[in-house]
Amino acid sequence: MNYPEKSFFERSIRGLFHGTAKGSALYKFINSLKTDGILLKEQRMKGDTLHFTAKRGDRKYIKHKAEELSIELVLEEEPSLASWLFRYRKRFGIPIGIVLGAVLLIYCSNVVMVIDIEGNNAVSDKEILSALEECSVRKGTFIGDIDFYRTELHIRSCFDEIAWAGMRHTGNRLVVEVMESNQKPEMLNDRVPCHIVADKTAQITHTSVSAGQLVKKEGEAVKKGEVIVNGIWADEHGHLNFYHSAASVKGIYEEDVTFFCPSQKTERVSSGNITEEKTLDIFSFKIPITFNDNPYDEYNVKTESTPLTLFGKKLPISLDRRLYVEYNSVETVLDKDDMKRELDKQMQLYEENFLSDCRIIKRKCSTTEKETAMVMTVSYVLEGEIGTEKDLFLRDNRKPYVAGSKKTD
């Protein structure tokens, strides 16, 4: 038989206790308690001993009645929430911790802790997060303060690539869904009539024409701006045809480059002194942990952010470290050998960056020393591409001329 007292609430929350009673007035003890409205459950007699179960709240009265009737009473309390709270009633940190934990749970359930962005490809997460911050939406924002409709309109207005944006939240997780518009394919300028002209004065060494009429042959010299492949061709009937010329034209040409190196230069050298600054970022609220001010006049800064995790999930709490590395400006005086090595290094970098597609046939270096610097002029003989496209029609947006108006070129 199930008694109400044996329910989960009665046994685990309010609490019960087991008792044994001995004495000559056991029946008077039972009847007196029953008359006062206190019922003993699960009663059974074992020899001259009464075993029973009663509510935890009736304990004091049962003990008082047993003393009046000279009943030998032994009580044993079952574990319950009420008994646990009574046992630790003087430890104020426990209830305070429970209250703070409940407050923190309610707070974390109503603020944004995670922002997930879905559906974006052309627009990065960082750009969308910046647009959200303009509407005061960030980690730590109270969800009830977010104007979802206004924020969605703001995201769409910030980016031409986004055709639709929607926001929703599940608990403390804010989800931003976007739908990007179909980008128009890049228009290739491969049908506009054009010539292939020389962008350098050179001697042609190789031609490979895909479209157009070759005007200059291999071995001929061309000046800068001369047509190599013609995009206009007339047939035997005098009809003009226009082509988008396409060709690969290589030639040998000369090029002079000047490199400069001062005899004194200023270098930034690390002194080895480092100052660390730590802050605790809780929902974008910065709490300083260290109070070391940056003492350096010249420095570099390195920042690191380590998010805290709970069961593999990132929390909106992170430890931010900012390292200040001191640098000093040091004046260095270069001798002739140092300046020569610096000029050679500049020449090497130039060739790697700008002449990698060319074949260097000849290189002639001349060095000039001045009071405060060394100058090196390098004369190159190179073989590389010399052809570039030039449109036949210079203007395609001409406006009609109206009498009385001022003409514009």
Side-chain angles (χ1 to χ4, degrees):
M1 183 175 181
N2 295 327
Y3 297 99
E5 292 84 1
K6 296 183 67 176
S7 65
F8 174 80
F9 177 79
E10 194 68 42
R11 185 173 295 275
S12 301
I13 305 300
R14 295 182 61 180
L16 300 175
F17 68 86
H18 300 287
T20 59
K22 291 181 181 181
S24 57
L26 282 178
Y27 290 101
K28 186 177 180 180
F29 172 69
I30 296 172
N31 292 330
S32 177
L33 292 175
K34 185 176 181 180
T35 301
D36 295 336
I38 298 175
L39 299 179
L40 303 180
K41 300 297 183 179
E42 301 179 357
Q43 298 181 38
R44 66 183 187 278
M45 292 294 297
K46 189 175 182 181
D48 61 345
T49 304
L50 172 66
H51 296 266
F52 64 91
T53 301
K55 297 179 181 179
R56 181 179 178 277
D58 298 333
R59 177 174 181 170
K60 186 176 180 180
Y61 187 81
I62 292 173
K63 290 177 68 176
H64 175 70
K65 186 61 67 174
E67 291 176 357
E68 287 183 358
L69 301 175
S70 300
I71 298 296
E72 184 181 345
L73 186 65
V74 178
L75 303 178
E76 182 181 351
E77 190 172 2
E78 286 187 0
S80 64
L81 178 61
S83 64
W84 183 83
L85 292 175
F86 181 78
R87 188 181 306 117
Y88 296 105
R89 64 188 182 280
K90 294 184 180 180
R91 299 186 181 182
F92 301 105
I94 294 177
I96 293 174
I98 294 175
V99 173
L100 292 178
V103 172
L104 181 62
L105 181 62
I106 295 173
Y107 177 77
C108 292
S109 300
N110 290 276
V111 300
V112 178
M113 295 183 66
V114 179
I115 300 178
D116 289 337
I117 302 173
E118 300 176 355
N120 59 313
N121 186 23
V123 183
S124 66
D125 290 355
K126 188 175 181 180
E127 291 174 314
I128 296 178
L129 289 175
S130 298
L132 290 173
E133 288 193 1
E134 294 176 1
C135 295
S136 301
V137 178
R138 59 178 67 87
K139 291 182 180 179
T141 301
F142 185 65
I143 294 176
D145 293 338
I146 298 176
D147 189 339
F148 285 81
Y149 179 72
R150 173 177 169 272
T151 306
E152 292 168 358
L153 290 178
H154 181 72
I155 293 175
R156 292 200 297 268
S157 65
C158 286
F159 307 101
D160 295 335
E161 298 86 353
I162 295 180
W164 174 86
M167 296 172 58
R168 57 184 172 86
H169 74 94
T170 54
N172 55 23
R173 176 173 172 262
L174 180 66
V175 181
V176 181
E177 296 178 306
V178 299
M179 182 183 296
E180 297 180 344
S181 58
N182 296 326
Q183 298 294 322
K184 295 181 179 180
E186 183 181 357
M187 301 302 294
L188 300 178
N189 192 27
D190 58 355
R191 298 186 63 85
V192 177
C194 66
H195 295 307
I196 300 295
V197 301
D199 62 354
K200 298 177 179 67
T201 300
Q203 181 181 8
I204 300 174
T205 57
H206 171 77
T207 58
S208 176
V209 181
S210 301
Q213 184 180 13
L214 183 64
V215 177
K216 298 288 185 177
K217 299 180 180 179
E218 295 182 10
E220 294 187 20
V222 290
K223 294 182 179 180
K224 182 177 180 180
E226 277 193 278
V227 176
I228 303 175
V229 180
N230 194 349
I232 303 174
W233 177 73
D235 59 15
E236 62 273 11
H237 302 290
H239 297 151
L240 294 178
N241 297 312
F242 300 92
Y243 294 93
H244 176 86
S245 301
S248 172
V249 181
K250 292 185 178 181
I252 296 176
Y253 58 93
E254 295 180 354
E255 182 176 291
D256 293 338
V257 183
T258 301
F259 302 101
F260 176 84
C261 178
S263 58
Q264 291 184 354
K265 65 177 182 178
T266 303
E267 294 181 336
R268 297 179 74 246
V269 180
S270 173
S271 66
N273 297 326
I274 299 176
T275 297
E276 184 177 17
E277 180 183 290
K278 292 183 179 180
T279 56
L280 188 63
D281 188 338
I282 302 179
F283 300 106
S284 301
F285 181 72
K286 306 289 186 179
I287 301 176
I289 299 177
T290 59
F291 299 92
N292 299 325
D293 295 331
N294 176 27
Y296 311 128
D297 296 330
E298 189 175 354
Y299 58 89
N300 283 358
V301 180
K302 181 180 180 182
T303 59
E304 297 177 356
S305 180
T306 305
L308 303 183
T309 59
L310 180 64
F311 305 116
K313 298 292 185 179
K314 291 184 179 180
L315 300 177
I317 303 173
S318 62
L319 179 63
D320 297 341
R321 299 174 64 241
R322 187 184 294 266
L323 298 178
Y324 296 94
V325 183
E326 184 184 24
Y327 276 80
N328 295 324
S329 297
V330 179
E331 294 287 340
T332 304
V333 179
L334 304 180
D335 57 17
K336 294 182 180 180
D337 294 336
D338 293 334
M339 289 189 287
K340 186 63 172 64
R341 282 192 292 269
E342 179 65 24
L343 292 173
D344 291 340
K345 183 179 179 181
Q346 293 181 22
M347 181 181 65
Q348 182 180 358
L349 290 175
Y350 177 82
E351 293 177 357
E352 291 176 356
N353 294 326
F354 299 99
L355 303 181
S356 58
D357 296 333
C358 301
R359 182 171 69 93
I360 301 176
I361 299 175
K362 186 178 179 181
R363 180 194 303 113
K364 182 180 179 181
C365 303
S366 60
T367 304
T368 303
E369 296 183 17
K370 297 183 179 181
E371 293 183 1
T372 59
M374 179 179 288
V375 179
M376 181 173 69
T377 302
V378 183
S379 299
Y380 289 101
V381 178
L382 305 171
E383 181 181 16
E385 287 286 341
I386 62 171
T388 185
E389 295 181 0
K390 185 175 182 181
D391 294 345
L392 295 179
F393 304 106
L394 299 181
R395 298 185 64 179
D396 57 358
N397 59 344
R398 292 185 179 180
K399 298 180 181 180
Y401 171 68
V402 179
S405 63
K406 183 179 180 180
K407 290 185 179 181
T408 58
D409 294 333

